[in-house]
Amino acid sequence: MADNSLRKAVVLCAGEGTRLRPLTFSRPKHLLPVAGKPLLGWALESLATAGIEEVGLVVGHRPESIQRYVGDGAAFGLEATYLTQPKPLGLAHAVDSAREFIGENDFLLYLADNLLENGVAPLVEFYAAHRPAAALFAKEVPDPRAYGVLVTEGARVTQLLEKPPDPPSNLAIVGAYAFSHTIMQAIKETPPSARGEYEITDAIQRLVSSGQEVLALCAEGFWEDAGRPAELLKANRLYLDHIAPEILGDLDDRCKVEGPVRMGQGTRAVNCRLIGPCLIGANCTLRDSTIGPHVSVDSGTSITDSRVEDCIIQQDCQLHHLRSGLTDSVLGVQVEVIGPENSAEAPLRLLLGDMSSIRAF
Ligand code: G1P
């Protein structure tokens, strides 16, 4: 590898996504859409942009749907291999399951539920420039107790702790790591943690303790670990804030469009107020409604006589008579929410799995 670049990435998408139930009963969380694209789609695009050529996807929960979405990887400009983690025993264990895929190479580890505004290219470039034993993406957060936490001297990492109750710094580990092959030996030597998992954080601490160079790079722009509904909605807002307007559907002359709105082909809007940023997929029917800001609607959905704000709505949903509003909600595919025709209730906030149906009369 004459140019020092990382070519391989291990992409973890095996988790069950329990904090996103019921949405994750019928699909892995990595296929939940944010601004019209699955989390995994954002992740793979960012890897290809960073020069990664081969991805080893570690799958576990509903692997067939991930395989259907990614295929051989060519659609993303990547070569995809599927790897199975026999049991969910932690991130270091997942990397160990990819030992054969990794071979003797240096590699990137990416947790596919992490969304980074500027992708992983800055980390790949930083690693190629410095060639440490490991380079980690990090970010200051107000409360890092739910993350791995770093103590640093300049760029050099001096200590790592996984989810400490009393964090020694505010520097959280972001789910992207560049590793030299030495991490594989450290993983072999790492015992399970108090919660019974083989932690990648502990394996990296072994590198530090044995005097090897571990460097941290601050990730610029937003970072979301989209593990809960509120984070999924936040990521949706952040991506929508960057969309370029494009209307491919039909609007009648009573429609008003304010701010950036993208609308797919075959969508028809009648007497609607569309407030950007807002993304409406193809073949939707919108009538007598106010939609946006920060709404993404997948194809085939029908919305009438409703007010919708700050929502992720997947394919083929039916939303009718929600005049008092639907807000901060994530709906699965083919969900039906039908309100009473006359209502002055407070707006609804819903998290509904695929094919749910709610009707109020
Ligand atoms: C994992 C890592 C943690 C890291 C986080 C980033 O935690 O163990 O060190 O900060 O990803 O998303 P998890 O979110 O799997 O609990």
Side-chain angles (χ1 to χ4, degrees):
M1 233 187 277
D3 66 357
N4 258 355
S5 302
L6 292 171
R7 302 275 186 243
K8 288 195 172 191
V10 174
V11 180
L12 301 193
C13 37
E16 279 189 44
T18 49
R19 292 170 299 177
L20 280 163
R21 285 178 180 165
L23 296 161
T24 47
F25 281 130
S26 44
R27 77 191 56 207
K29 75 169 159 183
H30 308 93
L31 294 186
L32 292 175
V34 160
K37 191 184 297 183
L39 291 171
L40 186 56
W42 290 107
L44 294 177
E45 280 182 9
S46 114
L47 291 169
T49 305
I52 297 294
E53 293 169 355
E54 286 180 58
V55 288
L57 295 140
V58 181
V59 293
H61 179 56
R62 300 197 161 268
E64 66 295 337
S65 36
I66 293 198
Q67 220 149 335
R68 211 175 309 126
Y69 176 62
V70 182
D72 63 3
F76 300 92
L78 296 162
E79 200 180 299
T81 303
Y82 297 89
L83 310 161
T84 315
Q85 183 182 13
K87 282 187 193 158
L89 291 179
L91 300 187
H93 181 258
V95 175
D96 200 51
S97 325
R99 200 169 269 278
E100 208 173 305
F101 166 79
I102 293 164
E104 295 301 311
N105 296 285
D106 298 351
F107 63 99
L108 193 82
L109 170 64
Y110 193 87
L111 314 185
D113 50 356
N114 278 250
L115 292 166
L116 286 155
E117 180 172 2
N118 298 331
V120 291
L123 182 68
V124 170
E125 284 158 23
F126 178 79
Y127 179 78
H130 299 278
R131 305 303 285 185
L136 318 180
F137 245 162
K139 183 110 186 143
E140 285 216 358
V141 296
D143 179 3
R145 283 176 299 177
Y147 302 106
V149 175
L150 297 177
V151 179
T152 53
E153 275 170 24
R156 198 166 177 134
V157 176
T158 54
Q159 196 188 7
L160 301 96
L161 296 154
E162 182 62 21
K163 302 190 178 77
D166 194 8
S169 85
N170 283 347
L171 206 52
I173 303 177
V174 170
Y177 317 70
F179 287 126
S180 69
H181 196 260
T182 50
I183 191 69
M184 300 313 285
Q185 184 58 31
I187 286 174
K188 253 192 196 160
E189 292 164 3
T190 301
S193 65
R195 62 169 175 167
E197 291 194 8
Y198 295 88
E199 312 282 354
I200 197 70
T201 309
D202 293 347
I204 306 166
Q205 177 62 51
R206 288 188 91 80
L207 296 179
V208 171
S209 304
S210 66
Q212 302 204 55
E213 189 179 42
V214 175
L215 300 178
L217 174 68
C218 254
E220 304 292 335
F222 70 71
W223 161 50
E224 278 304 315
D225 168 0
R228 295 166 217 265
E231 289 157 356
L232 209 60
L233 285 167
K234 185 168 175 211
N236 191 54
R237 289 196 293 275
L238 292 167
Y239 277 107
L240 288 181
D241 281 338
H242 293 286
I243 59 165
E246 183 180 40
I247 306 245
L248 300 176
D250 287 331
L251 305 173
D252 82 339
D253 54 13
R254 287 175 298 161
C255 284
K256 281 196 203 115
V257 177
E258 300 158 29
V261 172
R262 282 183 83 83
M263 183 186 276
Q265 274 179 343
T267 286
R268 183 157 166 68
V270 174
N271 189 29
C272 287
R273 185 171 167 220
L274 303 173
I275 309 170
C278 183
L279 182 78
I280 315 281
N283 303 318
C284 294
T285 306
L286 315 174
R287 186 178 281 275
D288 305 323
S289 295
T290 299
I291 300 171
H294 296 117
V295 171
S296 61
V297 179
D298 283 350
S299 60
T301 282
S302 175
I303 302 176
T304 52
D305 189 25
S306 297
R307 161 130 195 65
V308 183
E309 184 179 333
D310 203 355
C311 286
I312 297 174
I313 296 161
Q314 297 184 59
Q315 289 108 285
D316 302 323
C317 290
Q318 298 285 328
L319 307 181
H320 304 302
H321 312 305
L322 304 175
R323 286 192 197 153
S324 50
L326 178 73
T327 187
D328 304 326
S329 299
V330 185
L331 308 187
V333 303
Q334 293 177 33
V335 166
E336 191 182 65
V337 186
I338 303 185
E341 297 215 14
N342 292 303
S343 154
E345 304 281 309
L348 293 169
R349 290 184 168 77
L350 303 171
L351 179 68
L352 297 177
D354 296 348
M355 297 182 187
S356 306
S357 172
I358 293 187
R359 289 163 182 255
F361 296 101

